[in-house]
């Protein structure tokens, strides 16, 4: 409804001003032709804007709201970006370091959205992207004291979840119930999916292991803020407790907990369809094993606050791993599910080698038992000529094992020195490829190294490339990796072919109408803040749902994005997309 009102207002203001520039962001000041990180830049960091190619050869920087020019520079020559078929020039103002609020002008073209230069320029969006997980909590009300204007009633108690016949055992008969409350809603829908929780939690825990001092003092204003556990870990515990309830007595883990079909766009309290846990699967069980193993070493430091948790997690992890060894090919095949048939997200993955490697590696690091190291087989995967490692995504998780091995390298240099060298070299080699592309790319970003980057959830690819580069930076302290990671953060916050900042609530032209049931069904104009939209996706699997909203302007891979709630293929949000954004933005804050 609120969208319709906006469009009517927009139409009348168009008649009055003849500006023809009524963007869904509601403001009209920025030029569509100058694309930059709408939040801003670090004084010592790289600063680039991308400008539509024209005759212009220079750019100017002004203090915001003042006529005072503070910097000028030459634009680069024009270059084509194949993913949007644009010719663009770059404005590099990295040497301008003075903190303040600015706009960038290109004579004859107009001015950019405002931006800031400051030491902690990304702190607020970085923090909001963590708080976004609080807004995704299931089974609880979000009171105004924590959720502000996005307060809402509780829904999805999940205290009586039915066992689907695909998951039935002698002890847990089909149709009997278990309690499996808490957890985060996966995305714009209200499902809770173990596979996707796996990579999400692994990424968040990795941030914690890499930057504990920064996170220990971060205040999120959540219900647990007054206990003696860092808020960041309290938030992850909310999902971890749910995950723990998804393990069956035999060690196997249910693939997901959802209603049989997606609910309409209602608030959680009104989404009352029966919920089910379905078939146990090898990938869900292995992702669970990896997360609980990693969690067990993190919570070992909180024995007083959480007595026994760390030990329990390790027991659960080993049990899950053993189940997967015994059931190594349990694919989740949604088509086979009947009575009821199930049509919610499948997260179906048929190659479990990477999940085995990740789980075994995390178990090795938490137990120091050699057998897990041997079973992980990282060494032979690194030696093989095949492309065994990639930027992580929900079905490809073994690079998370490389990150963990590299992070804990000092513990293991004695026994596995040469392997650990190979692990580090692999991370650096992958980072080098991204860096090399970034140097020659028209947009100056690692994002776009391959046309395949633009798939469903493409923004998580950009964020995960950033995480990879930051891992390489942590190993080498080579600032080029840090800067290239920063370039991908710039991409996500505005320096991209759509000109959108894809983080809700941040940037003058930011995502306003995500496919996100709470944001759609509440009466609040603004979407829940801190959520990362999936981003450009030329697959346009939602085309039928969006009528004629896709136009010629969306025809290229990097422009195939519409800020409309119908667009579940380009404008949904998801926990596995937010998590690498959380890592990227917060790691940069911690490092800079
Ligand atoms: O992120 C998932 C993407 O890789 C798949 O191509 C797509 C279709 O299966 O599903 C995406 O995940 C969705 C999940 O299935 C259900 N919750 C919303 C997720 C984001 O769209």
């Amino acid at each position: 409804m609120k969208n319709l009102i906006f469009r009517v207002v927009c139409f009348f203001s168009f008649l009055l001003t003849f500006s023809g520039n009524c963007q869904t962001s509601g403001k009209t000041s920025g030029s569509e032709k100058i694309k930059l990180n709408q939040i801003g830049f670090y004084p010592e960091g790289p600063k680039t804007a991308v400008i539509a190619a024209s005759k212009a050869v220079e750019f100017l920087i002004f203090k915001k709201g003042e006529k005072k020019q503070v910097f000028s520079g030459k634009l680069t020559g024009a270059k084509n970006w194949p993913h949007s078929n644009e010719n663009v020039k770059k404005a590099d103002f990295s040497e301008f370091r003075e903190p303040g609020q600015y706009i960038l002008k290109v004579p004859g073209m107009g001015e950019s959205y405002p931006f800031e230069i400051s030491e902690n320029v990304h702190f607020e969006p970085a923090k909001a992207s963590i708080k976004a997980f609080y807004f995704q909590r299931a089974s609880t009300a979000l009171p105004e004291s924590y959720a502000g204007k996005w307060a809402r009633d509780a829904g999805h108690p999940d205290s009586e979840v039915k066992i689907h016949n695909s998951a039935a055992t002698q002890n847990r008969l089909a149709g009997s119930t278990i309690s499996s409350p808490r957890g985060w809603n996966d995305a714009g829908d209200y499902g809770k999916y173990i596979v996707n929780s796996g990579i999400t939690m692994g990424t968040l825990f990795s941030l914690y292991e890499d930057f504990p001092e920064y996170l220990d003092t971060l205040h999120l204003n959540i219900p647990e803020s007054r206990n003696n556990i860092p808020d960041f870990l309290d938030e992850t515990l909310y999902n971890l407790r749910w995950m723990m309830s998804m393990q069956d007595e035999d060690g196997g883990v249910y693939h997901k907990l959802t209603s049989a079909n997606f609910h309409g766009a209602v608030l959680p309290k009104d989404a009352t369809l029966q919920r089910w846990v379905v078939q146990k699967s090898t990938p869900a069980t292995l992702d669970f094993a990896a997360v609980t193993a990693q969690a067990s070493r993190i919570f070992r430091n909180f024995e007083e606050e959480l007595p026994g948790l760390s030990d329990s997690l390790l027991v659960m992890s080993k049990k899950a791993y053993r189940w997967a060894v015994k059931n190594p090919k349990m694919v989740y095949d949604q088509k086979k599910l009947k009575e009821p048939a199930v049509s919610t997200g499948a997260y179906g993955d048929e190659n479990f080698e990477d999940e085995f490697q990740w789980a075994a590696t995390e178990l090795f690091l938490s137990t120091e038992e050699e057998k897990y190291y041997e079973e992980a087989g990282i060494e032979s995967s690194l030696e093989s000529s095949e492309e065994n490692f990639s930027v992580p995504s929900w079905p490809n998780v073994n690079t998370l094992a490389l990150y963990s091995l590299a992070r804990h390298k000092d513990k293991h240099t004695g026994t596995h020195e040469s392997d650990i060298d190979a692990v580090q070299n692999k991370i650096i080699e992958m980072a080098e490829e991204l860096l090399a592309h970034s140097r020659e790319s028209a947009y100056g970003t690692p994002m776009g190294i391959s046309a395949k980057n633009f798939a469903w959830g493409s923004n998580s690819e950009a964020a995960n490339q950033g995480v990879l580069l930051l891992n390489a930076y942590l190993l080498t302290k080579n600032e080029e990796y840090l800067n290239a990671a920063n370039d991908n953060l710039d991409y996500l916050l505005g320096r991209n072919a759509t000109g959108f900042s894809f983080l809700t609530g941040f940037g003058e032209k930011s995502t306003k109408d995500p496919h996100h049931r709470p944001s759609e069904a509440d009466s609040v104009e603004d979407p829940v803040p801190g959520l990362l939209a999936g981003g450009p996706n030329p697959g346009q699997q939602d085309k039928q749902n969006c009528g004629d909203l896709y136009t010629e302007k969306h025809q290229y891979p990097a422009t195939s994005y519409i800020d409309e709630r119908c667009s579940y293929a380009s404008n949904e949000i998801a926990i596995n997309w937010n998590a690498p954004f959380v890592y990227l933005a917060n790691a940069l804050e911690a490092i800079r």
Side-chain angles (χ1 to χ4, degrees):
M1 187 57 168
K2 61 192 186 204
N3 226 19
L4 179 66
I5 295 169
F6 175 73
R7 284 201 183 110
V8 173
V9 172
C10 185
F11 177 68
F12 281 109
S13 65
F14 170 76
L15 290 184
L16 288 174
T17 63
F18 304 101
S19 75
N21 191 19
C22 198
Q23 295 150 357
T24 45
S25 67
K27 291 237 179 167
T28 55
S29 64
S31 166
E32 288 290 293
K33 294 181 173 167
I34 303 172
K35 289 157 184 164
L36 45 62
N37 179 333
Q38 295 167 37
I39 308 303
F41 306 90
Y42 294 105
E44 301 306 319
K47 303 176 196 72
T48 303
V50 164
I51 324 277
S54 71
K55 285 190 189 137
V57 290
E58 63 162 358
F59 66 95
L60 316 165
I61 294 181
F62 287 81
K63 280 214 155 182
K64 186 184 164 191
E66 291 178 25
K67 292 208 172 109
K68 195 170 153 211
Q69 183 188 317
V70 291
F71 187 82
S72 67
K74 291 252 172 301
L75 296 171
T76 61
K79 205 164 188 180
N80 182 266
W81 208 48
H83 309 299
S84 57
N85 195 23
E86 283 171 287
N87 289 325
V88 295
K89 298 181 172 183
K90 276 186 275 202
D92 183 345
F93 52 105
S94 304
E95 59 186 78
F96 180 63
R97 298 190 170 89
E98 187 67 31
Q101 309 265 352
Y102 304 99
I103 54 145
L104 185 149
K105 284 190 188 178
V106 177
M109 190 171 282
E111 60 189 48
S112 71
Y113 292 108
F115 62 89
E116 186 178 341
I117 296 179
S118 82
E119 292 288 346
N120 301 108
V121 69
H122 294 115
F123 183 67
E124 290 304 329
K127 191 166 80 158
S129 66
I130 304 175
K131 179 76 182 254
F133 286 87
Y134 168 73
F135 287 108
Q136 289 297 100
R137 287 187 184 193
S139 321
T140 184
L142 307 186
E144 203 185 332
S145 47
Y146 307 117
K149 62 184 175 182
W150 297 281
R152 59 169 167 80
D153 295 334
H156 303 107
D158 288 339
S159 47
E160 289 181 30
V161 176
K162 281 194 178 172
I163 306 276
H164 190 270
N165 57 51
S166 58
T169 59
Q170 278 193 336
N171 287 344
R172 296 185 177 185
L173 299 177
S176 62
T177 60
I178 58 164
S179 179
S180 187
R182 306 189 192 91
W184 297 316
N185 300 323
D186 183 59
D189 66 312
Y190 293 129
K192 302 194 289 194
Y193 306 78
I194 287 289
V195 166
N196 211 37
S197 264
I199 183 168
T200 303
M201 296 287 274
T203 305
L204 295 176
F205 282 147
S206 294
L207 178 70
Y208 186 79
E209 289 199 293
D210 286 335
F211 303 98
E213 292 87 15
Y214 168 84
L215 291 170
D216 280 348
T217 55
L218 193 71
H219 180 70
L220 296 174
N221 185 31
I222 55 175
E224 301 79 6
S225 283
R226 291 214 186 97
N227 69 17
N228 288 331
I229 301 163
D231 286 4
F232 181 83
L233 289 182
D234 274 322
E235 194 49 57
T236 62
L237 268 174
Y238 195 83
N239 200 54
L240 188 64
R241 299 269 191 210
W242 164 67
M243 291 182 81
M244 291 164 80
S245 70
M246 289 287 280
Q247 186 171 39
D248 194 3
E249 294 152 337
D250 61 358
V253 177
Y254 304 117
H255 194 73
K256 63 176 176 177
L257 186 168
T258 71
S259 44
N261 303 305
F262 285 121
H263 229 292
V266 296
L267 283 169
K269 73 175 169 50
D270 300 317
T272 52
L273 291 174
Q274 177 62 48
R275 308 256 277 180
W276 301 84
V277 287
V278 300
Q279 188 212 309
K280 289 170 272 188
S281 74
T282 309
T285 304
L286 287 167
D287 284 340
F288 175 98
V291 167
T292 44
Q294 193 176 11
S296 98
R297 61 175 183 266
I298 291 176
F299 289 110
R300 208 171 281 160
N301 293 329
F302 296 88
E303 198 49 42
E304 209 171 293
E305 294 80 6
L306 300 160
L309 178 68
S310 171
D311 282 351
S312 303
L313 285 163
L314 205 51
V315 170
M316 295 175 107
S317 174
K318 289 180 180 173
K319 214 171 154 185
Y321 184 79
R322 272 200 303 273
W323 185 93
V325 169
K326 271 199 225 140
N327 299 275
K329 292 202 169 97
M330 208 63 96
V331 177
Y332 175 66
D333 187 354
Q334 185 147 287
K335 288 189 297 299
K336 285 199 183 135
L337 267 54
K338 304 254 155 43
E339 294 174 18
V342 174
S343 66
T344 48
Y347 289 116
D349 180 8
E350 293 181 13
N351 177 356
F352 316 142
E353 190 52 35
D354 55 309
E355 282 83 5
F356 263 111
Q357 293 192 309
W358 183 33
T361 299
E362 297 300 346
L363 269 163
F364 164 66
L365 292 171
S366 291
T367 61
E368 314 236 351
E369 288 175 36
E370 278 299 312
K371 71 166 183 183
Y372 292 117
Y373 186 84
E374 302 304 329
E375 288 176 26
I378 296 284
E379 189 187 355
S380 53
S381 287
L382 285 169
E383 279 166 8
S384 139
S385 56
E386 282 173 37
E387 280 295 323
N388 287 321
F389 295 91
S390 59
V391 170
S393 58
W394 65 261
N396 292 310
V397 289
N398 57 354
T399 299
L400 298 179
L402 300 185
Y403 296 164
S404 288
L405 284 168
R407 176 181 312 125
H408 296 285
K409 62 179 186 294
D410 294 341
K411 264 207 231 161
H412 307 287
T413 35
T415 34
H416 301 293
E417 198 159 1
S418 64
D419 299 357
I420 300 295
D421 281 350
V423 166
Q424 299 190 70
N425 290 341
K426 185 72 197 174
I427 294 173
I428 294 165
E429 177 194 314
M430 288 161 82
E432 276 295 327
E433 276 174 36
L434 291 168
L435 183 61
H437 173 74
S438 185
R439 283 196 196 110
E440 50 118 67
S441 137
Y443 263 78
T445 57
M447 183 58 178
I449 185 171
S450 153
K452 289 192 195 135
N453 287 174
F454 298 94
W456 196 314
S458 63
N459 283 342
S460 69
E461 182 70 23
N464 271 310
Q465 289 175 352
V467 176
L468 182 95
L469 285 154
L470 288 169
N471 273 273
Y473 168 76
L474 292 175
L475 292 171
T476 60
K477 296 289 176 292
N478 177 348
E479 298 242 337
E480 283 187 289
Y481 300 141
L482 185 64
N483 291 344
N486 203 146
D487 283 321
N488 264 11
L489 186 64
D490 290 351
Y491 171 93
L492 293 169
L493 296 174
R495 199 215 305 173
N496 62 68
T498 72
F500 272 92
S501 160
F502 292 115
L503 193 74
T504 55
F506 292 89
E508 199 155 317
K509 179 184 171 182
S510 61
T511 295
K512 288 285 191 282
D513 199 12
H515 182 84
H516 180 238
R517 282 166 180 69
S519 297
E520 292 175 46
D522 66 15
S523 52
V524 185
E525 176 68 34
D526 298 326
V528 168
L531 295 166
L532 185 72
N537 171 14
Q540 299 186 356
Q541 293 87 342
D542 49 17
K543 209 166 182 172
Q544 284 209 317
N545 211 32
C546 294
D548 53 9
L549 289 167
Y550 280 108
T551 64
E552 223 170 75
K553 143 175 161 197
H554 308 111
Q555 67 179 300
Y556 299 106
T559 62
S560 188
Y561 169 79
I562 46 178
D563 185 20
E564 302 282 348
R565 62 187 59 181
C566 65
S567 184
Y568 56 80
S570 84
N571 209 28
E572 187 163 2
I573 63 91
I575 55 172
N576 65 315
W577 304 339
N578 249 69
F581 183 94
V582 162
Y583 189 110
L584 175 58
N586 285 282
L588 280 170
E589 275 297 303
I591 294 167
R592 285 284 183 201

